[in-house]
Amino acid sequence: MPGGKSLRVVSLVVRVVAGVLVVGIAVGIAGALVGSKPEAKRLELGELALDVEVFVAREEAVSRTWEGYGTVRAMDRAELSAQVSARVVARGEGIEDGARVSRGDVIVRLEEDDARRRLESAQATQGAVRAQLDQLDVDKERFTEQVRLAREERDVQQREYERARSAAERGAGNETEVEQRLATLRRVEREVSTLEWQLATLGPSRERLESERASAEAQERLAALELERTTIAAPFDGVVERVAPRAGDLVMVGTPVAQVVGLSRFEVPLRVPARALAEVGVGDDAEVWAELPGGARTSLPGVVTRVGPTVDEATRTGELFVEVAQHDGVLRPGMFVMGRVSSRARAPRLVVPRGSVERDHALVVGEGASGEGASGEDGLGESVFVARDRRAKALFALDASAFGGEAGEEWVALDAERSDVRAGDRVIVSGLDRLIDGSRVRVVGGE
């Protein structure tokens, strides 16, 4: 037992000595590495400047663009109902909910027997009235000729009577002949009077028949319209949203039959900031877009047709009504869309590249520590400036190509009241992720 205890002590001593040797060797190596580290070179301030490109902020006459949102609604929508009471004979071919139809396509066909009989009756009545009017024309011609002849006979008898009376007064004739001539004259006058009365009665008879003819024509038109209404057709190109009756159903006047929606013209009430109502007018250009399944996006041009008269007190927004036309049927009633409206009214606004503004701030090339523009020179003799943070509240985006910029490049118009950037400022457009207020920069391009 004493021998085993001695071995454990010796083993412990050996381990301690080995650990001390390892630590010593490690300390020696670390000291050697520190002693051999090269001394860091101290950089001058001018050598810390970052090369940047700048854009000189300037004013441009631009139109304000407003963005909003809304829900698509069809401008062509028809609620078709029965206009005659009849039984449904059949639906048009392929007519079901969701079927596409063209203008004039039959949706539902109703029984037409009653309407056709009424039409034939009205046509027969009108034919009879026309026949009576034709007879009146014949009677008028006949009576007119008889009146003319009777008047001529009356004139002859008048002269004969006056001759006989004159002769009797001179003693060359007798009273009997005078009385006979007078009787003959009175008879002819009565005939003239009778014929003239008969001719005169033709006028009221014609008016009565003309009234009957007008009534018959109205009945004919009504019957023809009823016959036409037995066919219920699509009033425009579109889609059958709903169709109710089937063959054999009895529909009454006013019974809903189908609903057709057009997919070519839409109106979008865009909800926009209230200030837009004063700047946008009827006829201003617009654009609406929607996100489609699968991440696709559709965009369509439009035009402002109406400006809403009221402002929502809670949201301080109003409505601009935009009309949109499409040919591919992508937009559907009820879809949520975004929209952008550009006012034709132009006003001078400060513009800068969109990428230079972040979180309503921008960096501009400012004066150096000496207050004399450049803060010094770097080793190459180039001027070094200081980047300065400025407020820059963007109002809306612009297509830079419209103002001489690169195609596809976006600028933004700044809100002058909420921005500290001014015309002529050199706004930094590169290296923004490595700069903060006070960073030293060298301007190398873009001015």
Side-chain angles (χ1 to χ4, degrees), residues 427-439:
V427 179
I428 299 174
V429 297
S430 67
L432 296 175
D433 57 335
R434 293 176 290 172
L435 296 175
I436 60 173
D437 184 48
S439 296

Side-chain angles (χ1 to χ4, degrees), residues 264-315:
S264 59
R265 295 195 313 144
F266 293 100
E267 184 176 66
V268 180
L270 280 183
R271 181 64 61 174
V272 295
R275 291 176 58 187
L277 303 186
E279 296 191 21
V280 176
V282 173
D284 285 351
D285 293 332
E287 178 189 14
V288 299
W289 63 90
E291 300 296 333
L292 303 178
R297 171 174 167 171
T298 182
S299 178
L300 293 170
V303 62
V304 177
T305 56
R306 291 180 290 146
V307 177
T310 59
V311 172
D312 187 290
E313 295 181 0
T315 62

